[in-house]
Amino acid sequence: MLELYPEIEPFHSEWLSREQLDENNQHEIYVEQCGNPDGIPVLFLHGGPGSGCRPGHRRFFDPARYHIILFDQRGCGRSKPNGELRHNDLPHLIQDIEAIRDHLKISKWMLFGGSWGATLALAYARDHSKNVISMILRGTFLGRREDIDWVYGAGGASKIFADGWHDLQQLVPAGANLLDSYFQLLQDDSAETRQQGG
């Protein structure tokens, strides 16, 4: 069985400011760089949406060969404000990826994404193919109606991951639409309620 590369720490981390992203929004994006700054640039795109990057995500790449870039998408992980939904959509996320590439002065890079991260990689490559060397996609989620229904409906993932499905339903009234209910939780005035929903 193949093993992940050893644990590593970032050689640089920062938040891209509102001005670096889009002066008309409130988001600040957490970005970290690991591995070889002169290596092949690879951007890790986390799943979710809503989860953020973890230290284990750095371990997919040989740190001697790759310049590993990770970032927490808008409203996720260490990006600020956490759980914020305004100006948090696919066009803004694609714009953030380009802002990161420009900020780091990278002409072309690899994309590595799983689940929602694969969706985001495909959308970015559609709009900015000239900036993409290659892509590694795993657990691809295309965001089609049938994909959303399989993950959040009562027939697909709920049958395979019954315990996780049970946990997911704990904050939702019985019989309520799961996505609509979580969307309402994420827009609640209470920060505590928003955190529960995220």
Side-chain angles (χ1 to χ4, degrees):
M1 181 168 120
L2 295 176
E3 296 201 12
L4 297 176
Y5 289 94
E7 292 183 17
I8 56 172
E9 293 297 319
F11 63 77
H12 185 73
S13 62
E14 63 185 309
W15 279 266
L16 292 190
S17 69
R18 297 172 175 112
E19 294 77 21
Q20 290 169 296
L21 298 169
D22 173 357
E23 59 190 82
N24 296 317
N25 79 70
Q26 68 282 10
H27 294 276
E28 295 179 49
I29 305 301
Y30 175 81
V31 180
E32 65 180 39
Q33 300 176 68
C34 311
N36 180 353
D38 297 318
I40 301 164
V42 57
L43 178 68
F44 179 88
L45 297 164
H46 67 73
S51 61
C53 291
R54 296 185 303 276
H57 294 152
R58 303 171 190 146
R59 300 181 62 202
F60 287 116
F61 314 96
D62 179 350
R65 293 190 63 210
Y66 290 95
H67 177 188
I68 308 158
I69 301 128
L70 302 95
F71 79 104
D72 290 338
Q73 298 161 24
R74 290 178 181 226
C76 302
R78 292 153 288 191
S79 290
K80 306 171 194 176
N82 190 274
E84 180 58 61
L85 299 178
R86 289 175 292 162
H87 302 107
N88 191 345
D89 53 28
L90 188 57
H92 281 98
L93 293 170
I94 292 171
Q95 177 182 319
D96 292 347
I97 294 170
E98 265 301 275
I100 293 167
R101 190 185 65 77
D102 287 342
H103 176 70
L104 299 179
K105 297 178 176 35
I106 293 171
S107 60
K108 291 185 175 192
W109 51 9
M110 291 176 55
L111 303 177
F112 181 99
S115 190
W116 164 251
T119 308
L120 188 52
L122 289 166
Y124 174 82
R126 174 198 64 204
D127 293 352
H128 299 283
S129 60
K130 68 183 184 313
N131 303 333
V132 178
I133 299 168
S134 62
M135 295 190 290
I136 301 170
L137 308 177
R138 59 184 175 76
T140 305
F141 176 82
L142 297 178
R144 302 168 301 183
R145 172 82 314 193
E146 59 262 37
D147 301 321
I148 293 167
D149 290 345
W150 190 88
V151 173
Y152 298 105
S158 66
K159 301 295 185 205
I160 298 170
F161 305 105
D163 291 342
W165 180 257
H166 179 265
D167 294 344
L168 192 62
Q169 289 187 306
Q170 293 307 299
L171 294 175
V172 176
N177 179 287
L178 193 65
L179 286 178
D180 290 343
S181 297
Y182 270 92
F183 183 71
Q184 293 305 318
L185 287 171
L186 291 170
Q187 294 195 69
D188 196 272
D189 290 336
S190 161
E192 184 179 333
T193 301
R194 287 193 308 273
Q195 194 64 31
Q196 284 180 331

